[in-house]
Amino acid sequence: MSAKAVWSGDANQAICAFTFDDGPSRLPLELWLGVLEEEGAVGTFFFTGEWMDRHPDKAREILSRGHVLAPHTYHHRRMAQVPKPVFLEQLKLTELAYQDATGLACPSFMRFPYCSFREENLDWLAEWGGYLDIEGVDSGDWAGISAEEIVTRVEPELKNGTIVVMHSNDIATGSPEGLRQLIRIAKQKGLQAVGVPEILDSIGAETEYRPWKITVQVPAELDHPVEKWVSLQNDKQLADLATQTIQWSAPQYTLQFSSESEWLEHLKMPLEEFGVVEDRAMFTLREFDGSYWGYLRAGVRGDTLVLLDFSAKEAQADTLVYVLRWAAEKAMSLGLTHIEARQDLRKMYEMCRQLGWSAEIEEDR
């Protein structure tokens, strides 16, 4: 059974969707986000995994500002021209880039670059599991045409359920102003600009998400002693941590919270995720140079130490080594055999390889 290519939403509902492919390198993303928000519209951004790896902060910003981020393959290949192993690899790489950038599972709808696909590709999407391909009305902005030309092409097709295909890249310079005019035209027609998940919901298609995790085998011994980690002891430490993590622009804060008080309340409450309740005795802080340089929160499920949340002042791969060493020492003391995490999967995997530890990235079922 083939996956479905969706070209529009329900023709009986007064909604439409403005979607944007690629991701800019030189032009500011704010050109598109600003227009959407000034006009009260939600956008859906189909960006490549490669772009998410280069701009994880911007990927998180799209989501934190109420818009939708979805996959557009990893390398922007013409997918109709690639063999099946490359096709499936592109999907997996993009999902991992999405989760590493945002901390969230990737939605299972995507768009093919250049609208390049064949029926067999839809079969492969179905085999990968739950994916939908999102197409729509081509604005032509990929050619660098003016805002007026974009509006002329799209306006006659702008009706109930329409999905508009635009671009947010360095060539589509007419796109932001064309977008503004089209949103205003949509309002005049009584249309509300929504995200693709709402378009899918209008036709009874559920948006699914595929999470990934890394499972690490606890080593027989540590290569280096665990240093500078201290257990959380009191509310003052927690308040200081809340303030400092906001100064770091910790993704956990920027993606979900808008005030220090909300963030502090979140830190005070035990996490309950992945079938694990946080052990508050494992809420641990990394102290260095008179301030906090990291924190982690964990719990236990069976023979596994589960890292529920962690962040560091420096977004460097070697900070994950400090986390891994702490986790290994804690697991050893508890007689556990595995460590599990869902953040920074690929960097953590590489650090395990360098440490000589056995690890595997796998679908989180």
Side-chain angles (χ1 to χ4, degrees):
M1 179 180 175
S2 291
K4 189 175 182 180
V6 177
W7 291 84
S8 63
D10 186 352
N12 294 312
Q13 296 190 33
I15 57 176
C16 64
F18 292 97
T19 68
F20 311 91
D21 293 0
D22 298 350
S25 296
R26 295 181 295 275
L27 292 179
L29 184 60
E30 185 63 29
L31 290 174
W32 287 266
L33 293 178
V35 169
L36 287 166
E37 291 160 19
E38 288 163 15
E39 300 298 333
V42 174
T44 299
F45 294 84
F46 289 95
F47 283 1
T48 65
E50 194 172 33
W51 185 91
M52 296 178 207
D53 276 342
R54 290 199 307 268
H55 307 288
D57 54 336
K58 294 180 182 178
R60 292 190 293 271
E61 183 179 4
I62 289 170
L63 296 171
S64 68
R65 291 171 67 166
H67 303 289
V68 180
L69 180 64
H72 193 46
T73 75
Y74 189 86
H75 290 110
H76 205 273
R77 296 288 309 278
R78 290 186 181 273
M79 299 298 272
Q81 298 178 3
V82 303
K84 184 177 179 180
V86 174
F87 183 97
L88 297 179
E89 180 186 52
Q90 286 286 304
L91 296 178
K92 180 178 179 180
L93 287 174
T94 311
E95 289 183 3
L96 293 176
Y98 189 106
Q99 186 165 326
D100 278 348
T102 69
L104 303 173
C106 183
S108 57
F109 60 84
M110 55 89 72
R111 176 170 291 145
F112 291 106
Y114 312 107
C115 193
S116 171
F117 69 95
R118 57 186 190 275
E119 190 65 27
E120 188 177 29
N121 296 144
L122 296 179
D123 292 336
W124 297 346
L125 276 184
E127 181 180 321
W128 185 246
Y131 259 86
L132 296 172
D133 167 43
I134 308 299
E135 299 298 333
V137 174
D138 181 8
S139 69
D141 66 348
W142 50 268
I145 61 178
S146 68
E148 291 70 24
E149 291 174 291
I150 292 169
V151 172
T152 298
R153 290 186 62 146
V154 174
E155 193 277 335
E157 304 297 328
L158 194 53
K159 57 191 73 170
N160 285 7
T162 295
I163 301 170
V164 182
V165 179
M166 304 183 76
H167 289 76
S168 176
N169 61 23
D170 300 317
I171 296 174
T173 55
S175 176
E177 182 54 34
L179 170 65
R180 186 185 301 279
Q181 295 181 36
L182 286 171
I183 295 174
R184 292 177 177 177
I185 291 169
K187 291 177 186 176
Q188 292 169 3
K189 293 184 176 185
L191 301 175
Q192 180 185 3
V194 301
V196 163
E198 291 184 60
I199 291 289
L200 294 176
D201 184 63
S202 78
I203 58 174
E206 182 179 356
T207 300
E208 298 181 3
Y209 298 84
R210 186 202 308 274
W212 294 83
K213 67 180 180 180
I214 183 170
T215 302
V216 181
Q217 186 172 323
V218 175
E221 58 183 10
L222 291 179
D223 65 318
H224 195 278
V226 176
E227 297 179 328
K228 301 182 176 67
W229 290 100
V230 297
S231 296
L232 176 69
Q233 298 292 332
N234 54 57
D235 289 344
K236 183 183 184 306
Q237 283 181 310
L238 200 60
D240 289 344
L241 178 68
T243 300
Q244 292 181 35
T245 47
I246 291 173
Q247 293 170 352
W248 307 346
S249 296
Q252 292 87 333
Y253 169 76
T254 58
L255 194 58
Q256 301 181 51
F257 300 94
S258 58
S259 71
E260 184 171 340
S261 60
E262 289 179 357
W263 175 231
L264 179 57
E265 286 304 310
H266 170 75
L267 292 174
K268 286 180 179 179
M269 298 298 294
L271 294 173
E272 295 186 38
E273 297 178 338
F274 321 117
V276 178
V277 177
E278 177 189 356
D279 183 341
R280 295 297 283 185
M282 294 189 197
F283 197 136
T284 309
L285 315 175
R286 189 164 197 270
E287 293 183 326
F288 182 71
D289 196 30
S291 63
Y292 296 128
W293 283 61
Y295 76 86
L296 57 83
R297 307 169 71 178
V300 175
R301 186 186 64 242
D303 64 356
T304 301
L305 178 72
V306 181
L307 297 175
L308 296 170
D309 182 30
F310 55 86
S311 189
K313 188 174 184 177
E314 282 191 302
Q316 305 293 346
D318 63 347
T319 61
L320 296 178
V321 173
Y322 308 147
V323 170
L324 284 165
R325 286 179 179 142
W326 178 92
E329 182 179 72
K330 178 60 68 174
M332 289 174 187
S333 71
L334 296 172
L336 306 176
T337 58
H338 292 87
I339 302 163
E340 191 174 278
R342 290 162 178 82
Q343 295 173 228
D344 298 309
L345 300 176
R346 293 165 299 165
K347 283 183 182 178
M348 187 171 282
Y349 181 86
E350 175 59 20
M351 293 304 99
C352 286
R353 187 192 68 80
Q354 293 184 20
L355 290 166
W357 298 7
S358 176
E360 181 179 5
I361 294 176
E362 55 192 345
E363 187 178 345
D364 186 4
R365 299 182 182 274

